[in-house]
């Protein structure tokens, strides 16, 4: 069985990652593409690595120790990984394996120079490149040196950075094997990297080439700045030629050295434009072969280009499938829905089936194609206005695309642009009674769904659900509901615009909407304060809750003194709000009713930070503040020229805002209430599939679309590989940042605020709730990790309604995503919290515990430095 250890590169292709690792498999695939030249070589297979690992002393114990280490414990990881490397390098290569390697060298030329390159099985994959995690050795000469460097490559699977990378990404060290590629060295004039898509913007029609003199190591190691060429449609459209003072070259006896570049040559381009265009043509051929954009390492030798590596560019956001060759512009749904995390297939397919407009999936996120609306001047204006009020960065990104000649086709106004983006406009004087009527209608529809869905199972359940989705959409699109929503929003905009013009006051509506009635989301936050009031006097209950980990804790509560009342209070809360959770537009996310432990830290914060009766006091204080503001505004207006008319108009709009703004939150509550009923029925169906042996576990259904799940229930058969692929894809999507605007070229278009009225170094965002506050930043990515003190400022990627219980205990809010009328903004105004949303990378730029100042009127955040408490300064 000698030959199993060594395979010629020509014998392998990209399907054999398990045998020759990612790099070896890709090089084998490359060597089969017509017109692509890959230096000759062979692979030492993973069988050889496993044999060495079996013979290396005490490896198993050390791997067990390694798997138990925290990824942040750098010292322990460094010590243990060094021991493992020494053990592997110190293990003699068995005679038959050494013979197989030297025999392969004999076929290529024993005394030639070689590159010895590690090729891990979890490397250069579509979902994780692992770039730079293992080692490569250049210009290795002679069989003894090559065998020694093969051992070093095996050991490099356990470099500190490779071990940490796997720990952080949840990859078991035992599941990764190491092959080694041994390739003839090439001694190039120039070398570098070609990206077949722009790695910064994601544009698939733009290629970039980095080039320098000598071996590519000079670029990869950062020794020199490369020449950078940008190519589009077969021509160089931009280039920046760097002063290349040094290069890495091979030494005759083996190894490499840095050399200085002759001063006359330093600023000469490493490639001609013609060579760059030729290289990109080769890159397009490679890209077509692998079916996705590639990051390609190349060398220029006398008679042309050699390709020495190609891996997928894993950082690009995928493009929605359009089925045509036309240009498309997509707007992110997640930025409007306050949920930019990836959704599982059942989640996004259910949202697609219940949404009012067609939605396209990419990278686990949903997008709306707005190309037709942008194409017609009339619908374009309405779309930009509504999106701009919601999120100025989306508007700016769309305007950036529109500024490019001919990307969006022009249609006459009569073209199929659809209605303006805002839907129905508010009537001049909507009837206040419609809010009560709409809520009653929604409750009746949900009660009917709950009654009828219980009787349905199997294929009949799916037929029933498709009908239920139509009712779902009918309730959502009720013209009266749209009137009520728009009445509140338009009155808010009117007040802000007119009061700024008349009184010079920004965002006056923020105070006027405090404690508005019928807001189911703000009521949800206050109701949890009432739950805390029940629990606070019961010391044994409080102590018990501090140690809760099991989801069955509510049953245990009843055994404690005061526990029955505590349990009843929590159960009552869950009956009303238990269908909610973070990321609730994804039906697969665990609801509070399914995972009540999520609420425990928030309840305990409320017990600690508030006095009894806080909910009622908070609501009443807000109501009085709004009333006082109303009197102040009206009296100041009456003192103006034509003041009585202005005051009367303002009074009418204030009444309208207070009547309708709370309803803005109700449709989402209705959607999520329906979602929970759909989910319970589907999970019961999943339980039947598990009982029948079709699925190993219930939650596997989350990785199937609704239509696929319907097919599985009918056929009682499932494709296990498909579920596994979906799980891996979903994991990989977490590493991708969804763009606000995405084009069919793959370009992620980021908008800008284009403001010069903020202090240097401040983080710019959108002002959504007035006031200025200083305090300690609490950077929280998961509501379950919340540990808040009074006066803290919450900094988080996004907030949907489920975060509102935290809002009662904080002093201010900063989010990365959001607009004027998104949930976080509405609730911040309801509670009177200064808030700035849409602050790009806020959770990275602001460190947990730093002192910050939030300017809720002017829309920016200042980082002040060390940690401290919170106090209102304006």
């Amino acid at each position: 069985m000698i030959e199993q250890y060594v395979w010629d590169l020509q014998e392998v292709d990209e399907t054999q990652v398990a045998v020759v690792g990612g790099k070896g498999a890709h090089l084998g695939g490359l060597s089969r593409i017509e017109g692509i030249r890959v230096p000759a070589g062979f692979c030492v297979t993973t069988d050889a690595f496993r044999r060495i690992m079996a013979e290396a002393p005490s490896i198993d114990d050390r791997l067990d120790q390694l798997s138990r280490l925290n990824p942040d414990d750098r010292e322990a990881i460094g010590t243990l990984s060094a021991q493992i490397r020494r053990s592997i390098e110190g293990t003699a290569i068995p005679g038959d394996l050494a013979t197989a390697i030297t025999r392969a060298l004999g076929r290529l030329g024993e005394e030639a120079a070689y590159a010895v390159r590690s090729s891990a099985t979890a490397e250069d994959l579509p979902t994780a490149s692992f770039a730079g995690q293992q080692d490569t050795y250049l210009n290795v000469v002679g069989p003894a040196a090559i065998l020694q460097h093969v051992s070093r490559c095996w050991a490099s699977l356990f470099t500190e950075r490779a071990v940490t990378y796997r720990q952080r990404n949840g990859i078991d060290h035992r599941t990764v094997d190491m092959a080694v590629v041994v390739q003839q060295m090439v001694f190039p004039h120039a070398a570098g990297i070609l990206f077949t898509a722009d790695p910064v913007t994601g544009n698939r029609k733009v290629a970039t080439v980095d080039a320098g003199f000598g071996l590519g190591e000079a670029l990869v190691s950062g020794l020199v700045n490369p020449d950078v060429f940008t190519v589009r449609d077969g021509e160089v459209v931009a280039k920046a030629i760097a002063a290349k003072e040094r290069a890495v070259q091979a030494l005759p006896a083996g190894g490499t050295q840095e050399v200085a570049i002759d001063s006359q040559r330093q600023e000469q381009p490493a490639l001609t434009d013609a060579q760059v265009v030729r290289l990109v043509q080769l890159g397009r051929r490679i890209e077509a072969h692998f079916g996705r954009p590639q990051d390609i390492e190349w060398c220029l030798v006398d008679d042309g280009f050699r390709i020495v590596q190609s891996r997928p560019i894993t950082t690009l956001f995928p493009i929605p499938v359009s089925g045509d060759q036309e240009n498309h512009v997509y707007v992110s749904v997640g930025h409007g829905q306050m949920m930019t995390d990836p959704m599982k297939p059942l989640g996004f397919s259910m949202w697609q089936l219940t949404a009012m407009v067609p939605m396209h999936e990419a990278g686990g996120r949903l997008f709306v194609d707005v190309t037709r609306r942008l194409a017609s001047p009339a619908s374009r204006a309405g779309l930009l206005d509504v999106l701009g009020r919601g999120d100025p960065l989306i508007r700016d990104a769309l305007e950036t695309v529109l500024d490019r000649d001919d990307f969006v086709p022009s249609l006459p106004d009569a073209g199929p642009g659809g209605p303006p983006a805002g839907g129905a406009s508010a009537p001049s004087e909507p009837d206040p009674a419609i809010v009560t009527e709409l809520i009653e209608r929604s409750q009746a529809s949900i009660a009917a769904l709950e009654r009828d869905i219980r009787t349905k199972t199997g294929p009949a359940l799916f037929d029933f659900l498709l009908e239920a989705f139509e009712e779902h959409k009918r309730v959502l699109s009720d013209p009266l509901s749209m009137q009520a929503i728009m009445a509140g929003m338009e009155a808010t905009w009117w007040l802000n615009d007119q009061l700024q013009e008349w009184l010079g006051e920004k965002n006056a509506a923020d105070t006027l909407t405090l404690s508005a009635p019928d807001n189911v989301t703000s009521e949800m936050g206050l109701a949890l304060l009432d739950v805390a009031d029940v629990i606070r006097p019961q010391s044994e209950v409080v102590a018990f809750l501090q140690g809760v980990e099991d989801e069955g804790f509510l049953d245990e509560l009843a055994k404690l003194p005061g526990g029955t009342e505590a349990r009843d209070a929590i159960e009552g809360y869950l009956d009303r709000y238990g269908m909610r959770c973070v990321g609730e537009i994804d039906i697969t996310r665990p609801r509070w009713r399914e995972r009540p432990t999520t609420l425990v830290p928030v309840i305990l914060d409320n017990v600690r930070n508030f006095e009894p009766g806080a909910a009622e006091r908070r609501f009443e204080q807000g109501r009085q503040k709004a009333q006082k503001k109303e009197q102040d505004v009206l009296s100041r207006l009456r003192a103006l020229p034509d003041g009585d008319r202005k005051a009367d108009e303002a009074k009418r709009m204030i009444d309208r805002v207070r009547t309708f703004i709370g309803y803005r939150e109700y449709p989402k509550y209705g959607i999520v209430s329906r979602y929970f009923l759909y989910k319970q029925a589907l999970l019961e169906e999943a339980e039947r599939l598990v009982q029948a042996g079709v699925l190993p576990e219930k939650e596997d259904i989350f990785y199937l679309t609704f239509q696929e799940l319907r097919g599985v229930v009918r056929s009682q058969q499932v494709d296990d590989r498909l579920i596994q692929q979906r799980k891996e894809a979903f994991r990989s999507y977490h590493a991708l940042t969804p763009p606000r605007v995405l084009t069919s070229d793959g370009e992620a278009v980021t908008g800008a605020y284009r403001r010069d009225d903020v202090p240097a170094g401040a983080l710019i965002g959108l002002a959504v709730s007035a006031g200025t506050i200083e305090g300690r930043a609490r950077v929280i990515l998961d509501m379950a990790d919340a540990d808040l003190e009074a006066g803290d400022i919450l900094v988080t990627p996004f907030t949907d309604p489920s975060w509102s219980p935290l809002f009662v205990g904080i002093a201010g809010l900063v989010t990365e995503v959001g607009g004027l009328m998104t949930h976080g903004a509405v609730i911040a105004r309801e509670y009177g919290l200064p808030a700035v949303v849409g602050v790009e990378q806020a959770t990275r730029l602001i460190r947990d515990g730093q002192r910050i100042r939030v300017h809720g009127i002017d829309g920016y955040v200042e980082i002040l430095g060390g940690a401290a408490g919170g106090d209102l300064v304006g």
Side-chain angles (χ1 to χ4, degrees), residues 717-844:
Q717 289 180 310
V718 73
D719 181 347
D720 295 329
R721 276 175 328 189
L722 176 68
I723 289 178
Q724 200 48 45
Q725 284 166 2
R726 294 273 176 80
K727 286 181 178 178
E728 286 167 16
F730 178 72
R731 272 198 298 273
S732 75
Y733 293 155
H734 280 279
L736 300 174
T737 301
R740 283 175 164 82
V741 171
L742 180 66
T743 73
S744 47
D745 287 352
E747 184 176 1
V749 190
T750 48
Y753 285 107
R754 306 191 193 284
R755 287 174 53 190
D756 52 14
D757 60 342
V758 297
L763 309 181
I764 301 175
L766 181 64
V768 295
S769 185
T772 303
I773 187 78
E774 267 184 34
R776 179 179 68 159
R778 293 312 316 265
V779 179
I780 295 175
L781 306 180
D782 183 342
M783 187 173 147
D785 299 333
D787 179 16
L788 294 162
E789 300 290 342
D792 282 349
I793 297 169
L794 174 63
V795 180
T796 190
F798 55 79
T799 63
D800 57 13
S802 68
W803 286 76
S804 63
L806 292 185
F807 282 25
V808 298
I810 59 176
L813 174 71
V814 179
T815 68
E816 296 178 340
V817 174
L820 272 172
M821 298 311 293
T822 46
H823 301 276
V826 172
I827 305 308
R829 289 194 291 271
E830 281 273 316
Y831 288 165
L833 297 175
V836 178
V837 302
V839 180
E840 292 275 75
Q841 298 196 330
T843 57
R844 292 182 199 145

Side-chain angles (χ1 to χ4, degrees), residues 424-443:
S425 60
S428 55
E429 205 59 67
D431 178 0
I434 66 173
V435 171
T436 309
E437 185 186 332
L438 284 165
I439 291 172
E440 285 171 357
R441 277 194 213 171
S442 175
Q443 287 172 338

Side-chain angles (χ1 to χ4, degrees), residues 123 191 198 231 290 404 487 492 568 696 723 741 745 767 778 820 837 863:
E123 180 179 45
D198 187 320
V231 177
F290 289 120
R404 294 181 188 156
T492 305
D568 291 350
I723 289 178
V741 171
D745 287 352
R778 293 312 316 265
L820 272 172
V837 302
I863 299 174

Side-chain angles (χ1 to χ4, degrees), residues 489-546:
M489 286 166 64
E490 288 179 347
T492 305
W493 298 335
W494 186 94
L495 283 166
N496 280 337
D497 292 346
Q498 291 305 127
L499 296 181
Q500 184 161 2
E501 186 186 324
W502 292 338
L503 300 175
E505 188 170 336
K506 282 185 183 176
N507 297 31
D510 293 0
T511 309
L512 294 166
T513 54
L514 288 171
S515 298
D518 296 314
N519 188 321
V520 70
T521 308
S522 59
E523 287 166 6
M524 177 168 74
L526 296 174
L528 207 58
L529 289 174
D530 291 335
V531 172
D533 285 354
V534 175
I535 289 167
R536 192 178 291 106
Q538 312 299 338
S539 56
E540 286 188 50
V541 170
V542 173
F544 170 77
L545 288 176
Q546 280 162 346

Side-chain angles (χ1 to χ4, degrees), residues 690-712:
V690 171
Q691 298 299 327
V694 177
L695 283 178
E697 48 192 69
K698 276 197 309 189
E699 295 196 346
D700 282 351
I701 68 165
F702 296 162
Y703 297 94
L704 298 169
T705 65
F706 179 84
Q707 296 86 341
E708 289 165 347
L709 178 55
R710 188 185 191 192
V712 168

Side-chain angles (χ1 to χ4, degrees), residues 43-62:
C43 301
V44 182
T45 65
T46 52
D47 281 341
F49 171 76
R50 282 192 291 273
R51 184 165 165 193
I52 292 294
M53 289 292 279
E55 295 187 12
S58 64
I59 284 282
D60 266 352
D61 291 346
R62 286 176 175 149

Side-chain angles (χ1 to χ4, degrees), residues 6-29:
V6 173
W7 287 26
D8 191 275
L9 268 183
Q10 301 280 344
E11 295 178 286
V12 299
D13 63 23
E14 55 270 29
T15 63
Q16 288 158 297
V17 171
V19 180
V20 295
K23 189 176 292 154
H26 266 75
L27 284 167

Side-chain angles (χ1 to χ4, degrees), residues 117 315 485 796:
R117 315 173 69 192
T315 54
I485 291 170
T796 190

